[in-house]
């Protein structure tokens, strides 16, 4: 937290090193969120690119109300939301889910085998975007509901409802598949 | 059967696994950083440019304000005061150790104070000090010298030549400025009237105590003196060191 404040201060003073440091620190989180929401690595990278360039472009004028991590992640989520619906893969074909990624890189625990991972992926993609977004921000990156609500200008009750409906739907979907 | 807790844990583990697996392609990684640095540099330049513009416009605004203020003050001083006040005593007659001359109206609303050190005056209107660069006319201290010469009789000085204004700590001449401005045109008339009074053989009464110079004022204001001085003068005070 203090490190982030220091980095932002340095950024405002014109330090490009601070910008590099921020990128190295949060690039993985941003990509992971974009990937979880889009399920498309190329598109996820593009989103992170646009998001971070936009962040850098604000440079010295940057004013943060929340922590840097929340700000960057919600920026990614908002940018994805703003994408044209046509560009999003709303109807996910299970065959297109990147099982290859899972096979090669995800060190799954014993509880989750490849088959289960595919089913979770499928279930996640069937959730409405708003619910998927909240679940990813909360469970993957540990953002608090209050933070998300504040950054998205939505009431905390709405955020909690989306989360609860999302989890319920996942339960149903997983019960059917597992 | 999945309950809420189990579902949450499962999803959490799944998402964390995806997070750990999130790796940029090398080319994209470099591109993002490079483009971001470019955007950051541009933003810095534009910010500097904004600051430069703000500075530039501030300076212009300040100069404009100074010019307008100067114009207004000049306008006020010319129209309201400069033409009316032709006082040049201080500049040549008072030394650094002397004080100031005041012109007060009876109700104290109008007061002009000349600073002999700075050779400039300020006007007090309704107890508010307003500094005005007064361009004083040519030296007229001969009037004051004449005045003192007249006063020598009153003070019983041996010789007029021995009198120096430096001998006085302060000379305060209080007149009804409002009336003076209306009828007397300028203060030179006041001294001219004094000279005229002397030349006409006017003699100050000697029965008054010299230290009570205010009585002279009483004399002026109660005698039918030439030039209508009685209409203007309310008090004269000379303070000796």
């Amino acid at each position: 937290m203090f490190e982030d404040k220091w980095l932002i201060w340095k950024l405002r003073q014109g330090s490009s090193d601070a910008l590099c440091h921020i990128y190295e620190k949060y690039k993985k989180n941003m990509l992971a969120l974009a990937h979880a929401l889009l399920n498309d690595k190329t598109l996820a990278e593009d989103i992170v690119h646009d998001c971070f360039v936009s962040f850098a472009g604000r440079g010295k004028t940057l004013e943060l109300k929340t922590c840097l991590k929340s700000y960057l992640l919600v920026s990614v989520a908002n940018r994805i939301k703003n994408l044209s619906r046509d560009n999003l893969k709303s109807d996910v074909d299970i065959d297109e889910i990147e099982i290859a990624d899972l096979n090669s890189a995800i060190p799954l625990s014993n509880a989750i085998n490849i088959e289960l991972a595919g089913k979770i992926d499928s279930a996640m993609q069937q959730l409405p975007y708003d619910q998927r977004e909240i679940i990813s921000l909360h469970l993957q990156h540990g953002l608090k509901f209050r933070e998300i609500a504040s950054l998205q200008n939505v009431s905390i009750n709405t955020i909690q409802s989306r989360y609860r409906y999302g989890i319920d739907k996942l339960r149903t979907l997983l019960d059917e598949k597992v | 059967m999945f309950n809420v807790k189990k579902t949450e844990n499962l999803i959490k583990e799944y998402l964390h696994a995806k997070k750990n697996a999130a790796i940029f392609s090398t080319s994209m990684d470099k591109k993002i950083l490079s483009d971001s640095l470019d955007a950051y540099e541009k933003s810095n330049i534009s910010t500097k440019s904004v600051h430069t513009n703000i500075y530039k416009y501030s300076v212009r605004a300040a100069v404009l304000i100074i010019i307008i203020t100067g114009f207004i003050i000049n306008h006020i001083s010319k129209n309201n005061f400069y033409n009316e006040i032709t006082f040049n005593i201080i500049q040549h007659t008072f030394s650094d150790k002397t004080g100031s001359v005041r012109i007060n109206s009876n109700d104290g609303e109008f007061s002009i104070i000349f600073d002999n050190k700075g050779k400039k005056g300020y006007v007090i209107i309704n107890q508010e000090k307003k500094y005005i660069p007064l361009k004083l006319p040519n030296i007229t201290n001969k009037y004051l010298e004449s005045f003192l010469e007249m006063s020598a009789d009153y003070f019983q000085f041996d010789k007029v030549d021995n009198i120096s204004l430096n001998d006085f700590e302060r000379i305060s001449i209080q007149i009804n400025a409002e009336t003076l401005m209306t009828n007397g045109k300028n203060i030179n008339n006041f001294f001219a009237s004094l000279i005229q009074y002397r030349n006409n053989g006017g003699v100050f009464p000697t029965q008054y105590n010299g230290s009570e110079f205010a009585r002279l004022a009483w004399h002026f204001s109660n005698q039918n003196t030439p030039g209508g001085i009685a209409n203007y003068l309310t008090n004269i005070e000379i303070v000796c060191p």
Side-chain angles (χ1 to χ4, degrees):
Chain A
M1 188 69 177
F2 287 114
E3 185 191 17
D4 285 355
K5 285 188 184 299
W6 170 253
L7 287 172
I8 291 292
W9 184 80
K10 292 282 285 179
L11 194 68
R12 286 205 197 112
Q13 304 304 310
S15 164
S16 51
D17 287 344
L19 186 73
C20 296
H21 197 99
I22 291 170
Y23 176 67
E24 289 300 328
K25 189 174 178 185
Y26 291 116
K27 67 178 184 181
K28 200 168 183 176
N29 288 301
M30 294 168 77
L31 182 66
L33 177 68
H35 199 191
L37 295 174
L38 293 166
N39 209 33
D40 182 326
K41 188 179 176 184
T42 309
L43 194 53
E45 285 182 336
D46 286 345
I47 289 288
V48 173
H49 171 273
D50 293 348
C51 211
F52 203 79
V53 169
S54 169
F55 168 78
R58 295 183 63 185
K60 285 186 172 179
T61 60
L62 193 67
E63 291 287 342
L64 292 188
K65 293 177 182 173
T66 56
C67 73
L68 183 57
K69 181 184 174 186
S70 308
Y71 175 83
L72 290 172
L73 291 175
V74 174
S75 298
V76 169
N78 287 341
R79 194 165 281 268
I80 293 170
K81 195 187 286 181
N82 290 338
L83 278 178
S84 164
R85 291 288 174 187
D86 295 338
N87 292 335
L88 289 174
K89 292 183 178 179
S90 54
D91 299 324
V92 178
D93 185 347
I94 292 177
D95 294 338
E96 292 181 4
I97 293 174
E98 296 181 354
I99 302 296
D101 274 5
L102 294 168
N103 278 328
S104 58
I106 300 180
L108 294 174
S109 70
N110 292 333
I112 305 178
N113 54 34
I114 300 300
E115 188 183 0
L116 179 56
K119 286 172 181 171
I120 296 171
D121 227 348
S122 167
M124 282 288 285
Q125 296 307 317
Q126 290 181 53
L127 289 181
Y129 177 80
D130 286 342
Q131 294 171 14
R132 193 162 75 235
E133 181 187 83
I134 304 301
I135 288 172
S136 297
L137 287 170
H138 183 62
L139 290 181
Q140 190 176 34
H141 298 286
L143 265 61
K144 294 172 182 169
F145 293 135
R146 191 175 300 280
E147 280 179 304
I148 302 168
S150 166
L151 284 164
Q152 293 195 332
N153 282 330
V154 180
S155 81
I156 190 169
N157 290 334
T158 306
I159 298 292
Q160 286 172 330
S161 298
R162 285 177 187 168
Y163 177 78
R164 193 171 61 252
Y165 289 136
I167 291 293
D168 285 345
K169 188 162 186 180
L170 281 175
R171 276 179 62 201
T172 310
L173 290 170
L174 290 174
D175 272 339
E176 288 172 1
K177 293 178 179 177
V178 179
Chain B
M1 186 70 181
F2 285 92
N3 59 22
V4 172
K5 196 68 189 170
K6 186 178 175 185
T7 307
E8 278 183 338
N9 287 338
L10 193 62
I11 299 298
K12 198 171 185 177
E13 193 167 353
Y14 159 80
L15 288 173
H16 274 282
K18 282 201 101 172
K19 183 177 167 182
N20 291 332
I23 297 171
F24 279 100
S25 58
T26 313
S27 60
M28 196 60 186
D29 198 16
K30 287 179 181 171
K31 180 175 168 48
I32 293 173
L33 199 52
S34 162
D35 289 354
S36 299
L37 286 170
D38 284 348
Y40 183 60
E41 290 304 320
K42 280 180 189 169
S43 113
N44 276 349
I45 290 167
S46 65
T47 309
K48 279 176 189 169
S49 169
V50 167
H51 286 165
T52 307
N53 284 337
I54 289 171
Y55 174 74
K56 197 188 294 177
Y57 286 120
S58 299
V59 169
R60 285 179 187 176
V63 169
L64 195 62
I65 288 168
I66 289 169
I67 290 170
I68 290 171
T69 310
F71 176 78
I72 290 170
I73 289 174
N74 191 38
H75 182 77
I76 290 171
S77 63
K78 272 186 176 176
N79 284 284
N80 296 338
F81 303 107
Y82 171 59
N83 290 334
E84 303 288 346
I85 303 161
T86 52
F87 218 104
N88 202 14
I89 296 170
I90 305 304
Q91 190 175 1
H92 297 280
T93 55
F94 287 130
S95 68
D96 286 347
K97 66 180 181 180
T98 60
S100 61
V101 173
R102 294 166 186 266
I103 301 175
N104 291 324
S105 65
N106 284 340
D107 57 6
E109 284 185 351
F110 187 84
S111 175
I112 302 175
I113 298 171
F114 294 99
D115 177 3
N116 58 311
K117 291 178 183 175
K119 295 180 181 177
K120 61 185 178 183
Y122 58 86
V123 174
I124 295 177
I125 298 172
N126 293 333
Q127 298 182 340
E128 186 182 351
K129 217 181 250 188
K130 293 178 191 250
Y131 284 86
I132 293 179
L134 294 169
K135 289 184 180 178
L136 303 177
N138 292 331
I139 174 71
T140 56
N141 61 332
K142 60 180 181 178
Y143 295 131
L144 186 64
E145 286 170 359
S146 300
F147 171 68
L148 289 170
E149 192 178 339
M150 287 188 300
S151 306
D153 294 332
Y154 184 81
F155 280 111
Q156 297 178 343
F157 290 133
D158 293 332
K159 287 182 179 178
V160 171
D161 291 343
N162 291 336
I163 301 172
S164 164
L165 290 175
N166 292 340
D167 294 331
F168 303 108
E169 188 165 284
R170 187 174 72 246
I171 297 179
S172 174
I173 306 167
Q174 294 186 21
I175 59 173
N176 185 333
E178 189 178 353
T179 311
L180 180 68
M181 292 305 161
T182 307
N183 304 322
K185 304 302 179 189
N186 58 50
I187 197 73
N188 282 339
N189 288 348
F190 166 65
F191 292 109
S193 298
L194 285 176
I195 294 166
Q196 189 182 3
Y197 177 61
R198 182 202 56 183
N199 291 341
N200 288 342
V203 178
F204 290 108
T206 54
Q207 65 269 33
Y208 301 125
N209 188 319
S211 64
E212 295 175 337
F213 209 69
R215 293 199 177 197
L216 183 63
W218 176 88
H219 170 79
F220 278 150
S221 59
N222 287 279
Q223 300 295 316
N224 185 21
T225 51
I229 297 170
N231 293 328
Y232 311 137
L233 193 64
T234 59
N235 191 20
I236 295 178
E237 180 189 24
I238 295 182
V239 179
C240 297

